[in-house]
Amino acid sequence: MESVIRAAAIYLFLLLLFRLSGKRSLAQITTFDFVLLLIISEATQQGMLGNDQSLLNAFFVVLTLVGLDLGLSLLKSHLRPLEKWLDDAPLILVENGRPLAERLRKSRVDEEDVLAAARQTRGLERMEQIKYAVLEREGHISIIPQDSAGRHPSSQEDVVLR
Amino acid sequence: MSAAKAQSLQISQDMAFQRLSWRVQRLGWIIMGLLLVAALVGVFGSGGPLSHSTAGTSGLSVHYQRFARLLGSAEYQLTVPAPQAGLLRLWIDRETLRHIELSTVTPAPQSVQVAQGKVVYSFAAVADGGPLLLTFQGRFSHMGKLRTRMGLVEGPTVEFAQWVYP
């Protein structure tokens, strides 16, 4: 009984914590984020396993974690509002070359992040070449270029640089 | 910008939800901060100014953990005036000992006797007038609110509450 309760408690705690810290928290895994993930797994391990080193305990901890994950995904497919709360919803950050300042600020993304994503995924050079930039549910930014991207006039520096 | 253009992107964006979720997130950050502050001052045990307290009188005073954790270390520091007879006899309630696995008593008692509803520890003491310090150590085997009782045989009794987190 104890192993199931321990694993469920850790699962729900981490779910809540990462949901509250926002979708950008561990979206881009930097070296430090990777180290952080390792430390988190190390810190939760003891609490999850307790003093019981038995094979059966490990089985039930894993079973609880996978079972909860499966159960939640089934529940989410039937309950749309729950899916929204657990997985978040996508958010448009840039619309027709115009960054939406409040949304950027609230989701802790700056224009540089959007431009970096545009360069990396689409080879775009300027903000106005972006038709839509969308902050996806899992935290990465997807870029949809303007139809005219690549043939853009170079006279709009004032829009890009702030 | 315009609604027509926004609709060209098939996306399940929900601004009402998004605003609510940002608000919940900010509230969550405040709660996280408060929890950390509470942990630092000792509300969740494991050190901090609020995690320990002292109960009793000059006849017997006990320094104990107000907040502790299941399977975490339990410690009681008792300060007792030296007895005139040379023998210090101290009892701990049976119910208290059911919730704590005592492992070390420092200094080691001369004898341990079981009485009705309590265990009596006897220590040989030098009657030089100075107060004696005894330490009981172990770990908590039960969680929740514990009522801890101990006292001197034919002397004062100390009773206090301890909260043990899971």
Side-chain angles (χ1 to χ4, degrees):
Chain A
M1 184 192 87
E2 202 183 306
S3 38
V4 175
I5 295 174
R6 280 172 179 272
I10 295 277
Y11 181 96
L12 295 175
F13 173 74
L14 288 180
L15 181 76
L16 187 70
L17 189 70
F18 279 87
R19 195 60 194 82
L20 284 177
S21 63
K23 51 186 158 195
R24 290 285 290 170
S25 287
L26 286 175
Q28 289 169 317
I29 302 273
T30 62
T31 313
F32 185 70
D33 288 339
F34 184 66
V35 173
L36 200 63
L37 274 180
L38 288 179
I39 300 173
I40 290 172
S41 69
E42 194 72 26
T44 49
Q45 184 197 343
Q46 201 63 42
M48 210 151 48
L49 295 176
N51 279 343
D52 189 345
Q53 309 261 332
S54 68
L55 194 60
L56 213 59
N57 190 33
F59 281 175
F60 281 111
V61 165
V62 174
L63 199 66
T64 308
L65 294 176
V66 175
L68 271 176
D69 215 42
L70 184 71
L72 272 183
S73 70
L74 285 174
L75 213 60
K76 277 189 285 192
S77 64
H78 287 96
L79 282 171
R80 290 278 297 144
L82 182 72
E83 185 181 20
K84 232 179 236 176
W85 278 106
L86 291 179
D87 286 349
D88 214 334
L91 179 69
I92 296 176
L93 297 176
V94 175
E95 203 170 22
N96 293 310
R98 191 173 62 94
L100 303 168
E102 191 213 353
R103 298 183 185 188
L104 286 165
R105 187 168 46 79
K106 286 268 175 72
S107 39
R108 287 173 292 144
V109 178
D110 57 25
E111 291 183 23
E112 276 308 316
D113 295 328
V114 176
L115 286 170
R119 284 195 297 270
Q120 283 163 3
T121 59
R122 295 283 165 177
L124 299 183
E125 296 157 21
R126 320 178 63 80
M127 190 62 88
E128 61 267 31
Q129 292 173 316
I130 300 172
K131 188 173 180 188
Y132 292 114
V134 180
L135 182 60
E136 300 291 357
R137 299 195 296 190
E138 64 271 33
H140 79 262
I141 301 168
S142 49
I143 303 287
I144 292 133
Q146 295 277 16
D147 301 334
S148 57
R151 297 178 271 113
H152 221 82
S154 57
S155 59
Q156 294 181 1
E157 278 122 322
D158 54 324
V159 184
V160 180
L161 306 169
R162 309 219 298 172
Chain B
M1 278 184 213
S2 74
K5 276 179 182 168
Q7 278 162 10
S8 75
L9 190 65
Q10 187 180 359
I11 188 169
S12 59
Q13 182 179 255
D14 181 345
M15 279 319 288
F17 162 77
Q18 201 63 250
R19 277 179 223 289
L20 182 62
S21 117
W22 281 329
R23 268 210 295 277
V24 173
Q25 235 172 52
R26 298 297 188 275
L27 187 71
W29 296 352
I30 294 170
I31 293 172
M32 277 155 75
L34 291 177
L35 282 176
L36 280 178
V37 171
L40 279 174
V41 299
V43 173
F44 298 106
S46 181
L50 292 183
S51 71
H52 284 76
S53 183
T54 304
T57 56
S58 57
L60 167 67
S61 99
V62 184
H63 188 63
Y64 66 96
Q65 291 144 293
R66 193 186 281 144
F67 301 106
R69 295 170 188 179
L70 184 67
L71 301 179
S73 66
E75 188 174 299
Y76 303 92
Q77 288 174 357
L78 287 74
T79 311
V80 199
Q84 278 155 10
L87 188 71
L88 176 69
R89 295 174 73 212
L90 190 140
W91 59 266
I92 299 183
D93 186 43
R94 189 85 206 94
E95 203 55 33
T96 299
L97 289 172
R98 264 169 28 95
H99 301 136
I100 300 152
E101 294 169 15
L102 270 189
S103 55
T104 320
V105 181
T106 318
Q110 206 173 44
S111 71
V112 182
Q113 292 162 302
V114 188
Q116 196 186 358
K118 56 181 79 166
V119 175
V120 181
Y121 296 83
S122 303
F123 303 86
V126 179
D128 62 355
L132 309 175
L133 187 71
L134 307 166
T135 311
F136 288 74
Q137 285 169 315
R139 63 176 194 171
F140 291 98
S141 57
H142 278 67
M143 58 184 180
K145 192 178 177 188
L146 310 182
R147 284 228 68 89
T148 308
R149 287 180 71 226
M150 52 184 72
L152 297 179
V153 174
E154 291 161 11
T157 298
V158 177
E159 186 172 345
F160 48 87
Q162 292 183 287
W163 181 261
V164 181
Y165 290 101

